Amino acid sequence: MEQSEQPELQRRFIDWVRESISLKLFFIGILILVLLIPSSLIQGLINERAARQDEVLRNVSDDWSGSQLIAGPVLIIPYKKHVSYLDADKEKTKDVIEKLYILPDALHIKAGLKTEVLHKGIYQVVVYNTLVNVSGNFTKADLSPLNITADQLLLDKAKIVFSISDLKGLKTNPTVNTSGKNLPVEPALNDDTLFTNGLQANLDLSTLKDNEVAFNYSLDLKGSQELNFLHLGKTTDVEADGDSDTPDFGGRYLPDSRIVKNGKFSARWHMLYYNRPYPQQWTGNDGQLNNPQKQQLATFGVKLRLPVDQYQKTTRTSKYALLIIILTFISLFLTEVIRKQRIPTFNYLLIGAAMIIYYSLLLSFSEQIGFDWAYLAASIATITLITVFIGSLLKNKGNALLFGFILLVFYIFIYVIIQLEDLALMMGSIALFIVIAVLMYFSRKINWNKQ
């Protein structure tokens, strides 16, 4: 009796394993967790390719010229200072040379950019040529707060110092014009740390009335991706024009006016010294303008990067991989239960694998033909593959086409979400609410007591 009951128990157990809805859901859940492993590997591949792109951008920038920061000019006037010291218990004095730093009273900068795109393999880098005209004036220093007298100043040893980020970008030797005189420019002395890549022009102020200095000079240079400026004038006015239709204005100050039209842009800044992190004049501290924190608070400009970053969009798309797999498996499970057509669990795994490979297709295609066309090609290929596979499993073209339409809706939904910025969260929440409502409706037809 006991031996005859054993095959019957085995048969019932096998039937339970084959027909149990709860057990099927449990195995589907395990499959979803297993698919998280290749999904994370795909994300790592995307990050690796994005890092490779950044490396190429740095290499091309090094070969061409890096992003440029236009800083200065600053008027430097050395002066003698009497210092007391003890020598053999006797107080003596000696003269030391200190420096007085003066920022421009008015600073005007005008830059015209001509961009081009360099290609290295599958990567693109935006570079530019520009002619930057700098003009303005320095007014007479107010010496009383500094405890300096006019006879201490070494006016014949003054100099005008300015800087650009990458000296390799200079295409011609600049000259500084003051009071009708063209002053040659040379690299700043090694002991002057006012700027990292400083340039200077020696100036004899003793021949100028009231030490007031008007200046102008031009910088014919090249750079890549960004052109920035440092707010140093008591009033700073900057005009920047270029032939890019996707400029990104950033930094501490946004333009007062901007026009982006017909593949060109024009921007204007006007700033006062009240929100500038630098004093108008100071002594002693030659690292004042080279302070990274203060420099960040005074920097502004324009970025000329390409408008579409396929790696960023592919990353955003891959973050929805788990959601798409869950919704697809639930849709397939409901089709199986409602239509009473059993689908082996292994086939769920194959469908999930196809949906993971989708992101590899998307990444590789986007590097060649751009994200939008890559998304279309990868989606059509994946939806077609899964639809044909489901049709061969269910032996029902109508159900297969219905399932393919569901996948199409899912991928369109994800595409719309990643195109949105401010409304992405709201649209995603509404869509998920609708999905849950639909699942609740169809779940009524499932006989959950069939264990």
Side-chain angles (χ1 to χ4, degrees):
M1 183 68 176
E2 292 181 357
Q3 292 181 352
S4 61
E5 287 180 353
Q6 187 173 2
E8 179 65 20
L9 291 176
Q10 291 177 347
R11 185 186 62 81
R12 289 181 180 180
F13 177 75
I14 294 174
D15 290 341
W16 176 79
V17 170
R18 290 169 56 88
E19 298 179 6
S20 173
I21 294 176
S22 299
L23 188 61
K24 187 64 172 284
L25 284 175
F26 173 77
F27 281 119
I28 291 175
I30 295 297
L31 284 179
I32 292 174
L33 294 178
V34 170
L35 289 172
L36 286 178
I37 298 175
S39 179
S40 64
L41 295 177
I42 291 293
Q43 185 60 56
L45 178 61
I46 297 173
N47 294 336
E48 178 185 338
R49 301 296 290 180
R52 171 60 180 162
Q53 176 184 244
D54 292 339
E55 180 183 353
V56 171
L57 292 180
R58 288 192 298 269
N59 291 339
V60 172
S61 296
D62 289 340
D63 295 339
W64 175 267
S65 180
S67 60
Q68 297 287 10
L69 171 64
I70 310 300
V74 180
L75 178 61
I76 303 178
I77 305 176
Y79 67 94
K80 291 182 179 180
K81 183 178 179 181
H82 300 290
V83 178
S84 299
Y85 68 100
L86 291 176
D87 184 13
D89 295 330
K90 293 183 180 180
E91 185 175 348
K92 296 183 178 181
T93 61
K94 65 178 180 178
D95 290 336
V96 295
I97 304 299
E98 297 284 353
K99 294 175 182 177
L100 167 62
Y101 299 91
I102 305 172
L103 296 184
D105 189 68
L107 178 61
H108 306 281
I109 302 176
K110 187 173 183 178
L113 295 92
K114 185 176 181 181
T115 63
E116 60 179 293
V117 178
L118 298 183
H119 299 265
K120 187 170 183 179
I122 62 174
Y123 303 103
Q124 298 177 324
V125 184
V126 178
V127 299
Y128 61 82
N129 290 277
T130 182
L131 182 63
V132 182
N133 296 308
V134 183
S135 61
N137 69 284
F138 297 100
T139 58
K140 184 178 180 180
D142 184 7
L143 301 180
S144 56
L146 304 174
N147 296 320
I148 301 174
T149 59
D151 59 351
Q152 291 179 255
L153 299 178
L154 304 177
L155 297 177
D156 60 330
K157 299 190 181 298
K159 56 186 176 182
I160 292 178
V161 180
F162 57 93
S163 168
I164 62 174
S165 300
D166 193 345
L167 293 175
K168 184 173 56 180
L170 273 177
K171 298 163 63 177
T172 59
N173 295 325
T175 58
V176 177
N177 182 278
T178 60
S179 303
K181 296 181 179 180
N182 289 324
L183 307 177
V185 172
E186 59 187 18
L189 300 177
N190 293 330
D191 60 348
D192 196 336
T193 58
L194 185 66
F195 295 115
T196 301
N197 294 314
L199 298 169
Q200 67 179 28
N202 296 321
L203 175 64
D204 185 357
L205 289 178
S206 61
T207 61
L208 300 179
K209 183 180 178 180
D210 296 329
N211 298 340
E212 292 188 0
V213 181
F215 62 86
N216 67 79
Y217 57 89
S218 297
L219 299 171
D220 188 7
L221 51 83
K222 57 185 180 180
S224 59
Q225 300 189 69
E226 298 183 28
L227 177 62
N228 293 309
F229 310 94
L230 199 62
H231 173 27
L232 292 184
K234 208 168 190 179
T235 59
T236 301
D237 293 282
V238 176
E239 300 179 22
D241 303 279
D243 56 2
S244 172
D245 58 356
T246 56
D248 180 17
F249 304 104
R252 182 65 176 83
Y253 314 95
L254 292 177
D256 295 286
S257 63
R258 71 185 81 180
I259 299 175
V260 181
K261 188 177 181 181
N262 298 328
K264 297 182 179 180
F265 74 88
S266 177
R268 304 289 182 269
W269 289 264
H270 175 74
M271 292 154 294
L272 303 178
Y273 76 116
Y274 297 106
N275 57 356
R276 187 188 66 188
Y278 307 116
Q280 187 63 21
Q281 57 183 25
W282 71 93
T283 60
N285 184 6
D286 59 357
Q288 179 84 250
L289 300 183
N290 218 17
N291 182 287
Q293 290 76 24
K294 290 186 177 181
Q295 196 171 90
Q296 185 177 9
L297 293 175
T299 300
F300 62 97
V302 57
K303 297 180 181 179
L304 301 170
R305 292 170 180 164
L306 293 173
V308 177
D309 186 346
Q310 67 267 19
Y311 297 111
Q312 182 179 6
K313 287 192 172 184
T314 304
T315 298
R316 293 179 61 188
T317 304
S318 66
K319 291 180 179 179
Y320 293 96
L322 181 60
L323 175 63
I324 290 295
I325 291 174
I326 292 175
L327 293 178
T328 301
F329 280 7
I330 291 177
S331 300
L332 187 59
F333 173 75
L334 291 176
T335 301
E336 176 184 353
V337 173
I338 295 173
R339 297 292 182 179
K340 294 180 173 57
Q341 291 180 283
R342 184 177 176 275
I343 299 176
T345 305
F346 179 73
N347 290 327
Y348 279 84
L349 178 61
L350 293 178
I351 293 173
M355 301 182 75
I356 293 297
I357 295 298
Y358 163 83
Y359 296 99
S360 178
L361 291 174
L362 177 61
L363 174 62
S364 58
F365 286 176
S366 65
E367 292 181 335
Q368 304 294 332
I369 60 177
F371 178 82
D372 292 337
W373 287 108
Y375 193 95
L376 178 63
S379 298
I380 290 176
T382 302
I383 293 172
T384 302
L385 174 63
I386 295 177
T387 300
V388 172
F389 184 62
I390 293 297
S392 65
L393 289 176
L394 300 180
K395 309 299 182 183
N396 188 317
K397 292 183 179 180
N399 288 342
L401 291 175
L402 176 61
F403 192 80
F405 175 76
I406 293 173
L407 286 178
L408 178 63
V409 171
F410 288 163
Y411 283 111
I412 291 176
F413 161 67
I414 296 300
Y415 182 80
V416 171
I417 286 296
I418 63 174
Q419 301 302 318
L420 298 174
E421 295 292 341
D422 297 334
L423 298 178
L425 178 60
M426 184 183 72
M427 295 299 296
S429 300
I430 292 175
L432 289 177
F433 181 83
I434 295 174
V435 168
I436 295 298
V438 172
L439 293 177
M440 291 174 67
Y441 174 79
F442 283 104
S443 66
R444 298 177 304 119
K445 300 182 179 182
I446 300 177
N447 180 14
W448 296 100
N449 293 322
K450 189 176 182 179
Q451 300 296 327

